[in-house]
Each structure stands twice: as C-alpha cells, then as structure tokens.
Amino acid sequence: MSEAVEIPEEHDLDTSWMENMGEWGANARPGKRGLTLADIQVGSYGDLPEVSDNMTGRPRGAAVRPEAYRVGAYSVHTLSEIWLDNAEYLYEEALQRQWSSATDIPWHTLEPLPDDVEEAECFLCTFFNEVEFVAGDVPARWIAKTTPDYLEARNVLVVQVMDEARHMDVFRKRALANGGGLMRMSGATSGFVGSIDLARDFTEMSTRLHISGEGAVLTMFRMGELFGQNEAEKTMYRLCAQDEARHVAFGVMHLRFLAAAEPERGEEINCYLDEAEGQLISGQQNPAGALAETSEALAVLLGGGMQHYDEGHKKLLVIRRRQLKEYMKRVMSAGFGERFENGRSPIPERYAASA
Amino acid sequence: MSEKLPTEAAVTAAGEADSKTIEPVHGVHKPKYDWMGLTNEWGVRVKPGIHGLRLGDLNVGIYGEIPEFWEDQTRRPRGALSRPGIPPLPYSLRYKHEMWADCAADLYEEAIQRRWIPATEVPWDSLEVLPDDVERAVCQICTELSQCANTELEIIAYWQDRMSYGYFEVKQFLATVTFDCARHMEVLRKRALSNGGGLGIESRGRVNRMILESSGGWTEAVVYLYLMRGTYITRLLTGLLSSAHNDAESFIYSHMLEDHARHLTYGYDHLKYAATHRKGSTAIMRTLLTIGEGHMADELKDGVVRSAMAIIFGGGIEGGRTRGMKRYLLLVREFLEDYLALCRWLGIDREETLHPMLKSYLED
C-alpha cells in the first residue's frame, strides 16, 4: 500500500502528549473474580488524595493539563466526606447481581387475591413506588457534586440510582398486574426539615438514607417471605433486599470510615442518629412504623386478610423488633454503639419492651 | 377523581366480624383502614408478553395518561391518588417537552437486558503487548473517552432529580445511562491499566465545559451532549472497533457502542419531540448549535485525540502521519455528514451556515 498520502499541514501528527502521560507500566491482572476495580489499584493509580484538587474532571492518575477548564464544581472533595473501604467490592457485586423486573420475576405465579389482601399489597406497592426513587434522586444529586477522584465510592452511588429505578419499576408493575391499581400516596418523603432530601452534608444524608431509611426497609424486604402472597412477590422482595443490603452497607462502611477519620464529628453524627431513631420508631418513612398507615396493610398481608388482622399484627411486631435489632447492629458496626450503652438512644429500651 | 372501592363495605363487615370471632390481642389498636378504597382506577391486570412484563406495558387506562404539564411537585406516582398538604419538592422540569421521548420505556428495558460486566465478561486474557506508540495512543483515547463519560454522567446526575415524577420513564431510563457511563469509565480505566500502559493526559475540556455549562434546560444539554458530541463519539467508537487489537478491545468497543446507541436514540428522539411540541425550540437549537460548532471545531483542532486516533488507525506513528491521519479525517467527515443529516431531520438546516472550520473537513 502506498504511503504517499497528502495530509494538509494543519493535520500534522502531534506526539508531544506522549511525553506527558500518567504513570507508565501498569499491568493489572485479573484474579479469580475477573479484573475488578480492586485489581487496578496499581502504583499511583491506587493513591487516594485526602483532599482532591481535581476540578477538571480528569480520571484519577491522568496527567494534568495546565490549560484545562475547571468545569467540576465539586463540593465533595475530601476523602472522609464520602469514602468507604469496600467500595470496589460493593460496586463489583452490584454489577454481578443486576436483575430484570421484566423477566426475572415469575409474574405468571400471580393469582387473584381476596380484595382486602390485594388492596393491602397495592397500598404497599404505591408506597414503595413513591419512596424508592428518593434513593435515586438524592444520590444522583450528590454524584454530580463529587470529585471523580473518588470514583469507586461514586460508582457505588451510581449503581444505587440504577437499583432504585428498578425498584420503582417492579412495585409499579406489581400494583398493575393483578387486578388492582395504585392507591393514595403517602407523602412520607416530602421536603420536611430533617428529611433525606434536604440534607446539605453527604454524611448527614447517608445516615438518614442508608442507615435508618433503607435499613428499616431492608429488614422488611427480608421478611418478604412472610408477607409475599405468591412466588412473584417473594422473588420481588428477595431481589430488592439483595440490592438494599448493598446500599445499607455503603452507609455503615462510610460512617465507620468517617468515625475513624474525623472523630471530632462524632457528636454531630449522634445528633443525626437521634433524629433517625425517631423516624425509625414512629415515622412515616418506615413502612412498618407505629404511625405509618402501611403498618395496617402489612398486618393484613401478614395475617392473610383483615379477618386475621390481630394475627398479622403479632407478626408485624416481630418485624419491628427485628428492625430495631438490625439497626443497633449496624450502628455498632459503624462505631457508634456507645449510644446504646450510655442511655442516649431509646432503641434498647424499645427493643427490650418488644420482647 | 378518587373513588371508594366496593371493598369498603367489606372492610366494615370484616371489622365487625373480627370483634365477634377473634379474640383481640392485648395492645393491638383497632385498625382504621383509612387507606382502603382510595384509588383513581382499580381492576388493572397487565399481562406479561413474550419479552416479560415491561414498563411500557403498564401504560393502560389512567396510568398511561401522560399530561403535557405535571402539576404535582411531590413524588406521587403517576396515576396514584394525591394527598393534600404535602410540601413540594424542587422539581423544576415539569413540562413533557422538557424531557420526553416516546422510546424511553423501551430503552430502559433494553438497557437492563443488555447489561454487561467488565470484570468477568471482557476477555482480558486476550490482551497482548502492543508497540509502545500504539499502547500510548490506546491509553490516551481511553483517558479521553473516560472523561467524556464522566461529563455525561455528571450532567445527567445534575438534571435527574429536577425531573418531575409524571415522566418517570425518562428518569428511569436516565438511571440506566448513568449506570452505563460508570461502567464505561470503569472498563476504560481497566483497559488502560492492564497492558503495560497507564492513563494519558487529561482533556482540554472545551466540549465538556460546553455540556456542563448548559444549565438553561435539559434539552439544551441534550443538544450538546448527544446531537453534537454523542454523534462524534459514535464515529470514534466505530473506528476503534474496526481497529481493535484483540478480543478484549473488540468486546469493550462493541458494547460501549451498543450502550451509546441507546443514549443517542433517546437524545435524538427527545430533540425531535421538543422540536415538534414546543414552539420556537428549533430556533433555540439553531442558536445553540451555532455557538457549539465553534467549540466543537476547536476541540477537533486539538492535536491529542486526532493524533492518537491516527496512530491507532495507522498502526504506529509512521503510519499515523499518513494513512492513519487520512482515515481519521474521513471519520470526522462522516461525523459531520451524520450531524448535518440529523439537523435536517430535526428541521434545522445547518449545511449553509456550518462553522467554516467544520466545513473544511467536508471539502476534498
């Protein structure tokens, strides 16, 4: 083939950039779980800045270009604000465990239910359809504010937005697939002071969203085997629980990291937990909460109908008890267990009373 | 209009039956069942088709009514009964023409079906040592494309929580797009760090800035993100796929292209929707494009991506100076032909007024 190709001078090859690249010679190798994010933390590419000065959106470890525009208005740019130690693992696990609400739920197992049970299920689905994407909207907002230097943590939040979209979708599908429909919204997640939406600090948001909000929902989803009326519903709750467990793990691990990195913020975090516990016990955001209308629907489902409401309520108390127990475990794991020993938290007393 | 279901009577009856036949449990308050019977439409029974139970299948009866303006600033699911007194949230995109595309629900399901996993599905063992100049060029392109994906992710994340719930299909589809973007950043980083190379130099960021600064509306962002930059990236990925050095690269580029095609389908469809449903929108798009073409021309003039692509196409620096650069210039020409055709389809003729620097790529 002839090399006599005429190229205009303005399109001459420029190779000057080859002298100014990131660290060279990286040779990450796949392990038994493939080539994971953890595997590519090689050389300086694994170095996480405590404070990121990256305002241009460059990938971590890329060479700096002095004339690049400072387009990244990253308000989250210190490691302790957002980091967690197992972000790579959570991200890779999330990719492995994605599912499809269209094809992975055995919709054919749905069968007509008694009216009261169908209504209870649809009411619960309306609630979840409404609240699931809080956990989509809010992390999305923080993703846009977070420096790409912390890409591993940011990627976990991106997958969470994806998960929540699927949750919103699966509950809508269930409500409209078995002779029912959507019911009245709860309004549980609107813009009240102290709500997930309005938090102006990432850790505050994460405490409300991941630890208390999603934590309570996770316990419930795990009990889906009890109140699911057929295999479709049980599968739906099981798969949602799998996703939710990762989101809760993000919150716990982030809080743990923050507690170690910035112990001086301990009292502030305890204040968030005080508020979160109020929500957990009686708030509308906890579908099993004492004042939540959804509690009645849950009792109907757990009992198998209105005529067995009391029976269902007994089972609901078991769920509430388990919510408290799992909440305490998470908070202890995050490094804030002292509040359960020094009398600050009302949860141990509630837990004991629920025995 | 809300309606009470016939079950209300059954509720009362069952409640009475309870108190007679079931021994009350100590501490259990009598249920009020205030939530029962409150629905806009009951009796919906959507059945799964051959592709399962898809989001678009749910648009039946009132649940499929998608208004031109979404009054509600809460998270009320479309079709659910509202509740008075709920404080509003700052959803600023409330007109359908500000985000809608008819294909969003189908694209959402397609994205889920076509998910892929860089860690385990890319045949990483097929990577082989490349000549240093070619490895550097590949790594540089990985760096550049990663930054493009980052920009796409950030601008979507910025707008996503401003979109009203009435148009949830779009919100959900965009969730799959940001997920794709995260995966693209991940896989490009993995490729750059697994074959003896590393990351390159960051982008100058002209077009990234243009996209990120398009804060006047989501449609404005889509003009730059998809009609202009996205159309160019499609050509870049197509070129990279045809010059892939191994199965790993083929897998990466082909799957990125597949994802990217979905993003563009939404973007083009949305612009068409906006153009046909909002008076004056094509004139705004024309103005945006006039400004944007200048920035795009500047970015194309930048030597880094151009040279890296030429080196990949030419199989090294020497080949890059001649046939590689020729092929890259052809790629830019093809991009501009695509771009002009899309503008025509949208009702915005740019042929005559195309930026002179861009026009020069179309001349022999």
Side-chain angles (χ1 to χ4, degrees):
Chain A
M1 186 168 175
S2 167
E3 289 287 308
V5 178
E6 277 188 33
I7 300 294
E9 200 177 321
E10 69 264 26
H11 298 307
D12 275 354
L13 207 67
D14 170 14
T15 56
S16 59
W17 50 273
M18 287 188 167
E19 308 304 317
N20 186 18
M21 298 181 75
E23 182 184 322
W24 203 244
N27 228 337
R29 284 281 164 261
K32 61 179 181 178
R33 292 190 180 88
L35 186 63
T36 65
L37 273 184
D39 295 324
I40 59 168
Q41 308 298 336
V42 289
S44 60
Y45 295 106
D47 295 344
L48 287 165
E50 292 293 329
V51 179
S52 167
D53 61 357
N54 179 357
M55 287 293 159
T56 59
R58 68 176 170 274
R60 190 177 73 224
V64 172
R65 192 164 171 165
E67 72 273 27
Y69 294 106
R70 290 171 68 88
V71 290
Y74 304 122
S75 57
V76 179
H77 60 107
T78 60
L79 191 64
S80 58
E81 277 177 289
I82 194 165
W83 194 250
L84 62 158
D85 277 336
N86 64 343
E88 303 102 321
Y89 176 81
L90 286 178
Y91 174 72
E92 296 286 0
E93 183 188 297
L95 259 63
Q96 295 290 342
R97 295 198 174 194
Q98 290 296 296
W99 51 279
S100 160
S101 67
T103 52
D104 291 337
I105 305 290
W107 294 112
H108 63 279
T109 64
L110 287 179
E111 282 184 2
L113 294 170
D115 282 350
D116 54 348
V117 177
E118 180 63 24
E119 254 196 274
E121 182 64 34
C122 286
F123 186 56
L124 205 57
C125 285
T126 306
F127 173 84
F128 284 128
N129 191 224
E130 177 187 338
V131 305
E132 278 295 336
F133 213 65
V134 182
D137 276 346
V138 179
R141 191 183 309 153
W142 288 95
I143 288 162
K145 292 177 182 173
T146 302
T147 169
D149 278 355
Y150 306 139
L151 78 119
E152 294 86 351
R154 210 175 61 157
N155 274 13
V156 181
L157 292 175
V158 173
V159 186
Q160 178 173 359
V161 176
M162 177 68 238
D163 293 342
E164 305 298 358
R166 196 173 42 233
H167 295 182
M168 184 159 90
D169 132 43
V170 77
F171 290 114
R172 188 177 182 87
K173 285 177 178 171
R174 168 58 191 88
L176 302 183
N178 203 30
L182 290 171
M183 299 185 67
R184 185 173 67 177
M185 67 174 295
S186 77
T189 62
S190 283
F192 310 114
V193 175
S195 68
I196 293 163
D197 275 277
L198 302 186
R200 294 171 71 88
D201 173 82
F202 181 83
T203 303
E204 180 184 355
M205 182 281 291
S206 173
T207 307
R208 289 176 191 167
L209 173 66
H210 296 124
I211 306 276
S212 68
E214 294 197 285
V217 169
L218 170 60
T219 308
M220 252 199 61
F221 284 168
R222 280 179 174 157
M223 306 293 266
E225 294 290 330
L226 281 183
F227 57 83
Q229 308 294 315
N230 44 60
E231 199 47 39
E233 288 168 15
K234 288 177 183 178
T235 307
M236 180 173 88
Y237 289 119
R238 201 181 305 137
L239 290 170
C240 286
Q242 217 175 68
D243 297 339
E244 218 71 2
R246 284 194 306 275
H247 310 164
V248 173
F250 180 102
V252 171
M253 294 303 286
H254 166 59
L255 214 51
R256 188 188 290 182
F257 187 87
L258 182 86
E262 292 187 39
E264 66 277 12
R265 289 188 66 183
E267 181 52 29
E268 173 205 338
I269 303 301
N270 268 307
C271 288
Y272 301 147
L273 292 171
D274 292 341
E275 288 179 346
E277 288 171 7
Q279 280 291 323
L280 182 64
I281 293 167
S282 57
Q284 298 285 334
Q285 288 173 25
N286 176 7
L291 298 180
E293 281 184 327
T294 38
S295 272
E296 288 186 3
L298 266 171
V300 171
L301 290 170
L302 287 160
M306 290 162 64
Q307 71 274 29
H308 304 300
Y309 182 87
D310 288 355
E311 193 118 340
H313 195 271
K314 276 195 229 168
K315 291 180 183 167
L316 176 64
L317 294 180
V318 174
I319 292 183
R320 283 187 191 152
R321 183 172 160 79
R322 192 165 160 176
Q323 281 182 329
L324 298 178
K325 185 181 175 187
E326 291 186 356
Y327 168 79
M328 286 193 287
K329 274 173 77 174
R330 287 174 198 128
V331 171
M332 283 190 269
S333 172
F336 290 86
E338 203 183 325
R339 59 186 287 111
F340 302 127
E341 289 156 14
N342 63 15
R344 177 167 188 156
S345 167
I347 299 290
E349 202 177 315
R350 286 277 179 156
Y351 181 69
S354 68
Chain B
M1 187 84 172
S2 67
E3 66 178 65
K4 277 274 182 188
L5 292 172
T7 50
E8 192 189 24
V11 170
T12 315
E16 283 167 2
D18 274 353
S19 59
K20 287 172 192 163
T21 57
I22 299 170
E23 198 180 328
V25 175
H26 178 68
V28 178
H29 69 271
K30 192 171 162 59
K32 291 187 276 184
Y33 296 128
D34 286 344
W35 48 275
M36 281 194 126
L38 298 175
T39 180
N40 278 324
E41 186 169 323
W42 197 251
V44 184
R45 200 182 296 275
V46 178
K47 290 282 173 223
I50 52 169
H51 300 297
L53 186 59
R54 299 186 303 172
L55 196 59
D57 298 335
L58 305 180
N59 284 336
V60 293
I62 196 173
Y63 302 104
E65 288 174 15
I66 307 163
E68 295 302 319
F69 181 74
W70 188 252
E71 297 275 355
D72 205 324
Q73 281 190 276
T74 70
R75 291 197 170 90
R76 178 172 67 86
R78 196 173 70 220
L81 199 60
S82 61
R83 191 177 192 122
I86 303 298
L89 286 160
Y91 294 115
S92 56
L93 298 187
R94 300 168 68 191
Y95 283 98
K96 191 177 178 186
H97 64 71
E98 290 178 306
M99 73 199 86
W100 190 253
D102 286 335
C103 58
D106 287 343
L107 291 174
Y108 166 76
E109 296 288 3
E110 184 185 306
I112 290 174
Q113 292 299 332
R114 297 200 173 193
R115 60 194 184 270
W116 52 285
I117 305 168
T120 49
E121 291 178 11
V122 174
W124 294 109
D125 56 352
S126 70
L127 287 178
E128 285 183 358
V129 178
L130 295 173
D132 187 66
D133 50 357
V134 176
E135 181 64 26
R136 284 182 187 274
V138 171
C139 289
Q140 181 56 47
I141 292 299
C142 286
T143 308
E144 182 74 26
L145 288 176
S146 178
Q147 219 165 330
C148 293
N150 185 60
T151 300
E152 187 176 354
L153 187 155
E154 286 183 12
I155 192 68
I156 294 172
Y158 173 83
W159 283 107
Q160 201 169 19
D161 78 325
R162 290 167 167 78
M163 295 178 176
S164 295
Y165 259 55
Y167 314 112
F168 65 87
E169 290 93 339
V170 174
K171 286 171 85 81
Q172 288 185 247
F173 169 66
L174 291 176
T176 72
V177 178
T178 50
F179 182 51
D180 292 342
C181 291
R183 192 170 48 213
H184 294 179
M185 283 188 276
E186 171 210 344
V187 78
L188 291 163
R189 188 175 182 86
K190 285 177 174 173
R191 166 60 191 88
L193 302 185
S194 60
N195 203 29
L199 289 171
I201 188 169
E202 68 177 310
S203 170
R204 172 85 165 87
R206 285 184 185 85
V207 174
N208 290 337
R209 181 177 72 159
M210 181 170 80
I211 294 166
L212 290 168
E213 288 183 354
S214 55
S215 54
W218 169 239
T219 305
E220 178 189 344
V222 171
V223 167
Y224 290 144
L225 179 64
Y226 292 132
L227 176 57
M228 194 168 276
R229 159 69 80 67
T231 306
Y232 172 62
I233 287 184
T234 299
R235 284 291 171 182
L236 277 186
L237 288 170
T238 308
L240 289 166
L241 178 59
S242 66
S243 300
H245 302 96
N246 44 61
D247 289 347
E249 288 182 10
S250 290
F251 187 98
I252 292 168
Y253 301 139
S254 63
H255 282 74
M256 283 181 69
L257 253 177
E258 215 173 67
D259 295 344
H260 194 64
R262 278 195 308 277
H263 307 179
L264 292 192
T265 302
Y266 163 77
Y268 298 157
D269 203 20
H270 168 58
L271 292 179
K272 187 73 172 175
Y273 190 90
T276 49
H277 287 78
R278 186 189 174 201
K279 202 177 169 191
S281 62
T282 48
I284 295 171
M285 286 183 208
R286 186 176 293 114
T287 308
L288 291 170
L289 292 173
T290 306
I291 298 163
E293 284 169 11
H295 291 285
M296 192 71 203
D298 275 343
E299 182 139 306
L300 290 172
K301 207 170 71 176
D302 190 273
V304 181
V305 172
R306 186 182 63 198
S307 301
M309 287 300 291
I311 291 167
I312 292 169
F313 286 151
I317 290 177
E318 279 319 303
R321 293 188 199 285
T322 52
R323 63 174 192 277
M325 186 58 80
K326 188 179 178 193
R327 188 159 164 211
Y328 175 70
L329 293 174
L330 178 64
L331 180 153
V332 175
R333 184 193 174 105
E334 287 168 342
F335 148 61
L336 289 168
E337 286 168 353
D338 294 344
Y339 167 74
L340 290 173
L342 285 161
C343 288
R344 269 197 306 277
W345 174 69
L346 288 168
I348 314 162
D349 201 345
R350 296 295 304 156
E351 221 136 323
E352 295 301 315
T353 47
L354 186 66
H355 191 283
M357 275 165 65
L358 295 181
K359 212 177 252 183
S360 68
Y361 288 97
L362 293 169
E363 292 157 3
D364 285 327

Short mmCIF file of all heavy atoms in Angstrom, two decimals, chain A residues 104-130:
data_model
loop_
_atom_site.label_atom_id
_atom_site.label_comp_id
_atom_site.label_asym_id
_atom_site.label_seq_id
_atom_site.Cartn_x
_atom_site.Cartn_y
_atom_site.Cartn_z
N ASP A 104 -37.14 -11.54 35.30
CA ASP A 104 -36.66 -12.36 36.41
C ASP A 104 -37.72 -12.59 37.50
O ASP A 104 -37.47 -13.33 38.46
CB ASP A 104 -35.42 -11.73 37.06
CG ASP A 104 -34.20 -11.79 36.13
OD1 ASP A 104 -34.20 -12.66 35.24
OD2 ASP A 104 -33.28 -10.98 36.29
N ILE A 105 -38.82 -11.92 37.40
CA ILE A 105 -39.90 -12.14 38.37
C ILE A 105 -40.91 -13.11 37.73
O ILE A 105 -41.34 -12.89 36.60
CB ILE A 105 -40.65 -10.81 38.69
CG1 ILE A 105 -39.67 -9.73 39.17
CG2 ILE A 105 -41.78 -11.04 39.70
CD1 ILE A 105 -39.08 -9.94 40.51
N PRO A 106 -41.26 -14.19 38.43
CA PRO A 106 -42.21 -15.14 37.84
C PRO A 106 -43.64 -14.58 37.88
O PRO A 106 -44.46 -15.01 38.71
CB PRO A 106 -42.05 -16.39 38.71
CG PRO A 106 -41.56 -15.87 40.03
CD PRO A 106 -40.79 -14.63 39.76
N TRP A 107 -43.91 -13.63 36.99
CA TRP A 107 -45.21 -12.95 37.01
C TRP A 107 -46.38 -13.92 36.83
O TRP A 107 -47.50 -13.66 37.30
CB TRP A 107 -45.27 -11.86 35.93
CG TRP A 107 -44.31 -10.74 36.17
CD1 TRP A 107 -43.20 -10.42 35.44
CD2 TRP A 107 -44.36 -9.76 37.23
NE1 TRP A 107 -42.55 -9.32 35.96
CE2 TRP A 107 -43.25 -8.89 37.07
CE3 TRP A 107 -45.22 -9.53 38.30
CZ2 TRP A 107 -42.98 -7.82 37.93
CZ3 TRP A 107 -44.97 -8.47 39.16
CH2 TRP A 107 -43.86 -7.63 38.97
N HIS A 108 -46.09 -15.04 36.18
CA HIS A 108 -47.18 -15.99 35.93
C HIS A 108 -47.70 -16.63 37.22
O HIS A 108 -48.75 -17.28 37.22
CB HIS A 108 -46.71 -17.07 34.95
CG HIS A 108 -45.59 -17.91 35.50
ND1 HIS A 108 -44.28 -17.48 35.48
CD2 HIS A 108 -45.58 -19.12 36.11
CE1 HIS A 108 -43.51 -18.40 36.05
NE2 HIS A 108 -44.28 -19.40 36.43
N THR A 109 -46.96 -16.47 38.32
CA THR A 109 -47.43 -17.07 39.58
C THR A 109 -48.45 -16.18 40.29
O THR A 109 -48.99 -16.57 41.33
CB THR A 109 -46.26 -17.35 40.56
OG1 THR A 109 -45.67 -16.10 40.94
CG2 THR A 109 -45.21 -18.24 39.93
N LEU A 110 -48.68 -14.99 39.76
CA LEU A 110 -49.70 -14.12 40.37
C LEU A 110 -51.07 -14.74 40.15
O LEU A 110 -51.39 -15.19 39.05
CB LEU A 110 -49.69 -12.73 39.71
CG LEU A 110 -48.54 -11.78 40.04
CD1 LEU A 110 -48.72 -10.47 39.26
CD2 LEU A 110 -48.47 -11.50 41.53
N GLU A 111 -51.83 -14.75 41.20
CA GLU A 111 -53.21 -15.26 41.09
C GLU A 111 -54.13 -14.30 41.81
O GLU A 111 -53.68 -13.60 42.73
CB GLU A 111 -53.31 -16.64 41.73
CG GLU A 111 -52.75 -17.71 40.81
CD GLU A 111 -52.93 -19.11 41.38
OE1 GLU A 111 -53.53 -19.24 42.46
OE2 GLU A 111 -52.47 -20.05 40.72
N PRO A 112 -55.38 -14.23 41.39
CA PRO A 112 -56.29 -13.30 42.07
C PRO A 112 -56.27 -13.52 43.59
O PRO A 112 -56.29 -14.65 44.06
CB PRO A 112 -57.65 -13.65 41.48
CG PRO A 112 -57.35 -14.24 40.15
CD PRO A 112 -56.04 -14.96 40.30
N LEU A 113 -56.21 -12.39 44.30
CA LEU A 113 -56.18 -12.45 45.77
C LEU A 113 -57.51 -11.91 46.30
O LEU A 113 -58.20 -11.16 45.60
CB LEU A 113 -55.03 -11.58 46.29
CG LEU A 113 -53.61 -12.03 45.94
CD1 LEU A 113 -52.60 -10.94 46.32
CD2 LEU A 113 -53.27 -13.33 46.68
N PRO A 114 -57.84 -12.24 47.52
CA PRO A 114 -59.03 -11.60 48.12
C PRO A 114 -58.87 -10.08 48.06
O PRO A 114 -57.74 -9.57 48.16
CB PRO A 114 -58.99 -12.11 49.57
CG PRO A 114 -58.16 -13.35 49.52
CD PRO A 114 -57.19 -13.19 48.43
N ASP A 115 -59.95 -9.37 47.92
CA ASP A 115 -59.90 -7.91 47.74
C ASP A 115 -59.06 -7.21 48.79
O ASP A 115 -58.27 -6.31 48.49
CB ASP A 115 -61.31 -7.33 47.76
CG ASP A 115 -62.02 -7.55 46.43
OD1 ASP A 115 -61.33 -7.97 45.48
OD2 ASP A 115 -63.23 -7.30 46.36
N ASP A 116 -59.27 -7.58 50.05
CA ASP A 116 -58.55 -6.86 51.11
C ASP A 116 -57.04 -7.09 51.01
O ASP A 116 -56.25 -6.18 51.23
CB ASP A 116 -59.08 -7.25 52.50
CG ASP A 116 -59.07 -8.75 52.75
OD1 ASP A 116 -58.88 -9.52 51.79
OD2 ASP A 116 -59.26 -9.15 53.92
N VAL A 117 -56.65 -8.29 50.63
CA VAL A 117 -55.23 -8.60 50.53
C VAL A 117 -54.63 -7.88 49.31
O VAL A 117 -53.54 -7.30 49.38
CB VAL A 117 -55.00 -10.14 50.43
CG1 VAL A 117 -53.53 -10.45 50.23
CG2 VAL A 117 -55.54 -10.82 51.66
N GLU A 118 -55.37 -7.89 48.20
CA GLU A 118 -54.88 -7.19 47.01
C GLU A 118 -54.73 -5.70 47.30
O GLU A 118 -53.75 -5.07 46.91
CB GLU A 118 -55.84 -7.41 45.83
CG GLU A 118 -55.44 -6.74 44.52
CD GLU A 118 -54.12 -7.25 43.92
OE1 GLU A 118 -53.73 -8.40 44.22
OE2 GLU A 118 -53.48 -6.49 43.17
N GLU A 119 -55.69 -5.16 48.01
CA GLU A 119 -55.61 -3.72 48.34
C GLU A 119 -54.41 -3.42 49.23
O GLU A 119 -53.71 -2.42 49.05
CB GLU A 119 -56.89 -3.29 49.05
CG GLU A 119 -57.79 -2.47 48.16
CD GLU A 119 -58.85 -1.73 48.94
OE1 GLU A 119 -59.90 -2.35 49.19
OE2 GLU A 119 -58.62 -0.57 49.29
N ALA A 120 -54.19 -4.31 50.18
CA ALA A 120 -53.05 -4.10 51.09
C ALA A 120 -51.74 -4.15 50.30
O ALA A 120 -50.84 -3.33 50.50
CB ALA A 120 -53.05 -5.16 52.19
N GLU A 121 -51.65 -5.11 49.40
CA GLU A 121 -50.42 -5.24 48.59
C GLU A 121 -50.25 -4.00 47.70
O GLU A 121 -49.15 -3.46 47.58
CB GLU A 121 -50.50 -6.52 47.74
CG GLU A 121 -49.25 -6.78 46.89
CD GLU A 121 -47.99 -7.03 47.70
OE1 GLU A 121 -48.08 -7.61 48.80
OE2 GLU A 121 -46.90 -6.60 47.26
N CYS A 122 -51.34 -3.56 47.09
CA CYS A 122 -51.25 -2.40 46.20
C CYS A 122 -50.91 -1.12 46.98
O CYS A 122 -50.22 -0.25 46.49
CB CYS A 122 -52.56 -2.22 45.42
SG CYS A 122 -52.75 -3.45 44.12
N PHE A 123 -51.42 -1.04 48.20
CA PHE A 123 -51.10 0.13 49.01
C PHE A 123 -49.61 0.16 49.34
O PHE A 123 -48.94 1.20 49.25
CB PHE A 123 -51.94 0.11 50.29
CG PHE A 123 -51.79 1.36 51.12
CD1 PHE A 123 -52.04 2.62 50.57
CD2 PHE A 123 -51.38 1.29 52.44
CE1 PHE A 123 -51.89 3.78 51.33
CE2 PHE A 123 -51.23 2.45 53.21
CZ PHE A 123 -51.49 3.69 52.65
N LEU A 124 -49.10 -1.01 49.68
CA LEU A 124 -47.67 -1.11 49.98
C LEU A 124 -46.84 -0.80 48.74
O LEU A 124 -45.82 -0.10 48.80
CB LEU A 124 -47.39 -2.54 50.47
CG LEU A 124 -46.17 -2.74 51.37
CD1 LEU A 124 -46.26 -1.87 52.61
CD2 LEU A 124 -46.07 -4.21 51.79
N CYS A 125 -47.29 -1.31 47.60
CA CYS A 125 -46.57 -1.06 46.34
C CYS A 125 -46.60 0.43 45.98
O CYS A 125 -45.62 0.96 45.45
CB CYS A 125 -47.16 -1.88 45.20
SG CYS A 125 -46.72 -3.61 45.28
N THR A 126 -47.72 1.09 46.25
CA THR A 126 -47.80 2.53 45.98
C THR A 126 -46.77 3.26 46.83
O THR A 126 -46.05 4.14 46.35
CB THR A 126 -49.21 3.07 46.30
OG1 THR A 126 -50.16 2.29 45.57
CG2 THR A 126 -49.35 4.53 45.92
N PHE A 127 -46.71 2.85 48.09
CA PHE A 127 -45.73 3.46 49.00
C PHE A 127 -44.31 3.28 48.47
O PHE A 127 -43.53 4.22 48.37
CB PHE A 127 -45.87 2.84 50.40
CG PHE A 127 -44.81 3.28 51.37
CD1 PHE A 127 -44.95 4.47 52.07
CD2 PHE A 127 -43.66 2.53 51.56
CE1 PHE A 127 -43.96 4.89 52.96
CE2 PHE A 127 -42.67 2.95 52.44
CZ PHE A 127 -42.82 4.12 53.14
N PHE A 128 -43.99 2.04 48.10
CA PHE A 128 -42.62 1.78 47.62
C PHE A 128 -42.35 2.47 46.28
O PHE A 128 -41.26 2.95 46.03
CB PHE A 128 -42.36 0.27 47.52
CG PHE A 128 -42.15 -0.38 48.85
CD1 PHE A 128 -42.87 -1.49 49.23
CD2 PHE A 128 -41.22 0.13 49.73
CE1 PHE A 128 -42.69 -2.07 50.47
CE2 PHE A 128 -41.01 -0.44 50.98
CZ PHE A 128 -41.76 -1.56 51.35
N ASN A 129 -43.35 2.50 45.42
CA ASN A 129 -43.19 3.18 44.14
C ASN A 129 -42.85 4.65 44.39
O ASN A 129 -42.05 5.26 43.68
CB ASN A 129 -44.48 3.05 43.34
CG ASN A 129 -44.33 3.50 41.90
OD1 ASN A 129 -45.18 4.20 41.36
ND2 ASN A 129 -43.24 3.14 41.26
N GLU A 130 -43.44 5.18 45.43
CA GLU A 130 -43.24 6.60 45.76
C GLU A 130 -41.88 6.85 46.39
O GLU A 130 -41.20 7.81 46.03
CB GLU A 130 -44.36 7.01 46.72
CG GLU A 130 -44.28 8.42 47.24
CD GLU A 130 -45.36 8.64 48.31
OE1 GLU A 130 -46.36 7.89 48.32
OE2 GLU A 130 -45.18 9.54 49.13
#
